[in-house]
Short mmCIF file of all heavy atoms in Angstrom, two decimals:
data_model
loop_
_atom_site.label_atom_id
_atom_site.label_comp_id
_atom_site.label_asym_id
_atom_site.label_seq_id
_atom_site.Cartn_x
_atom_site.Cartn_y
_atom_site.Cartn_z
N VAL A 497 60.38 -46.39 -108.40
CA VAL A 497 60.05 -45.29 -107.49
C VAL A 497 60.30 -45.78 -106.08
O VAL A 497 59.56 -46.59 -105.52
CB VAL A 497 58.53 -44.89 -107.63
CG1 VAL A 497 58.19 -43.81 -106.61
CG2 VAL A 497 58.25 -44.42 -109.04
N ASN A 498 61.42 -45.29 -105.51
CA ASN A 498 61.83 -45.75 -104.20
C ASN A 498 61.76 -44.63 -103.21
O ASN A 498 62.57 -43.72 -103.14
CB ASN A 498 63.32 -46.28 -104.30
CG ASN A 498 63.81 -46.84 -102.99
OD1 ASN A 498 62.97 -47.22 -102.11
ND2 ASN A 498 65.11 -46.80 -102.77
N ILE A 499 60.70 -44.64 -102.46
CA ILE A 499 60.47 -43.58 -101.47
C ILE A 499 59.95 -44.20 -100.19
O ILE A 499 58.76 -44.12 -99.86
CB ILE A 499 59.53 -42.47 -102.04
CG1 ILE A 499 59.38 -41.32 -101.13
CG2 ILE A 499 58.20 -43.06 -102.48
CD1 ILE A 499 58.84 -40.09 -101.83
N PRO A 500 60.77 -44.93 -99.47
CA PRO A 500 60.35 -45.82 -98.39
C PRO A 500 59.72 -45.14 -97.20
O PRO A 500 58.97 -45.80 -96.44
CB PRO A 500 61.63 -46.53 -98.00
CG PRO A 500 62.74 -45.61 -98.39
CD PRO A 500 62.24 -44.93 -99.64
N ASN A 501 59.97 -43.89 -96.99
CA ASN A 501 59.50 -43.18 -95.79
C ASN A 501 58.14 -42.45 -96.01
O ASN A 501 57.71 -41.72 -95.16
CB ASN A 501 60.51 -42.19 -95.30
CG ASN A 501 61.79 -42.87 -94.89
OD1 ASN A 501 61.78 -44.01 -94.39
ND2 ASN A 501 62.96 -42.21 -95.09
N ALA A 502 57.56 -42.64 -97.18
CA ALA A 502 56.32 -41.89 -97.55
C ALA A 502 55.14 -42.86 -97.67
O ALA A 502 55.28 -43.94 -98.13
CB ALA A 502 56.51 -41.08 -98.79
N SER A 503 53.98 -42.33 -97.24
CA SER A 503 52.70 -43.02 -97.49
C SER A 503 52.01 -42.26 -98.62
O SER A 503 51.51 -41.16 -98.41
CB SER A 503 51.85 -43.04 -96.23
OG SER A 503 52.51 -43.73 -95.17
N LEU A 504 51.99 -42.86 -99.81
CA LEU A 504 51.52 -42.15 -101.04
C LEU A 504 50.02 -42.34 -101.22
O LEU A 504 49.49 -43.45 -101.03
CB LEU A 504 52.26 -42.63 -102.27
CG LEU A 504 53.75 -42.43 -102.26
CD1 LEU A 504 54.36 -42.97 -103.56
CD2 LEU A 504 54.11 -40.96 -102.07
N ASP A 505 49.34 -41.26 -101.62
CA ASP A 505 47.97 -41.34 -102.01
C ASP A 505 47.88 -41.95 -103.41
O ASP A 505 47.05 -42.80 -103.73
CB ASP A 505 47.28 -39.99 -102.01
CG ASP A 505 47.08 -39.46 -100.64
OD1 ASP A 505 46.99 -40.32 -99.71
OD2 ASP A 505 46.97 -38.23 -100.45
N PHE A 506 48.76 -41.54 -104.30
CA PHE A 506 48.83 -42.06 -105.64
C PHE A 506 50.12 -41.69 -106.36
O PHE A 506 50.75 -40.74 -106.02
CB PHE A 506 47.61 -41.65 -106.47
CG PHE A 506 47.31 -40.16 -106.40
CD1 PHE A 506 48.01 -39.24 -107.17
CD2 PHE A 506 46.33 -39.70 -105.58
CE1 PHE A 506 47.73 -37.88 -107.11
CE2 PHE A 506 46.04 -38.33 -105.48
CZ PHE A 506 46.73 -37.45 -106.25
N VAL A 507 50.46 -42.48 -107.32
CA VAL A 507 51.57 -42.18 -108.26
C VAL A 507 50.94 -41.95 -109.61
O VAL A 507 50.19 -42.84 -110.10
CB VAL A 507 52.59 -43.33 -108.31
CG1 VAL A 507 53.65 -43.02 -109.40
CG2 VAL A 507 53.24 -43.49 -106.98
N ILE A 508 51.19 -40.86 -110.27
CA ILE A 508 50.58 -40.54 -111.54
C ILE A 508 51.54 -40.61 -112.67
O ILE A 508 52.61 -40.05 -112.60
CB ILE A 508 49.94 -39.10 -111.52
CG1 ILE A 508 48.90 -39.01 -110.35
CG2 ILE A 508 49.25 -38.77 -112.81
CD1 ILE A 508 48.34 -37.64 -110.18
N SER A 509 51.20 -41.33 -113.72
CA SER A 509 51.96 -41.31 -114.98
C SER A 509 51.14 -40.59 -116.02
O SER A 509 50.05 -41.09 -116.35
CB SER A 509 52.28 -42.74 -115.38
OG SER A 509 53.00 -42.76 -116.57
#
Side-chain angles (χ1 to χ4, degrees):
V497 177
N498 182 24
I499 186 163
N501 299 325
S503 298
L504 299 180
D505 289 337
F506 46 81
V507 175
I508 301 176
S509 179

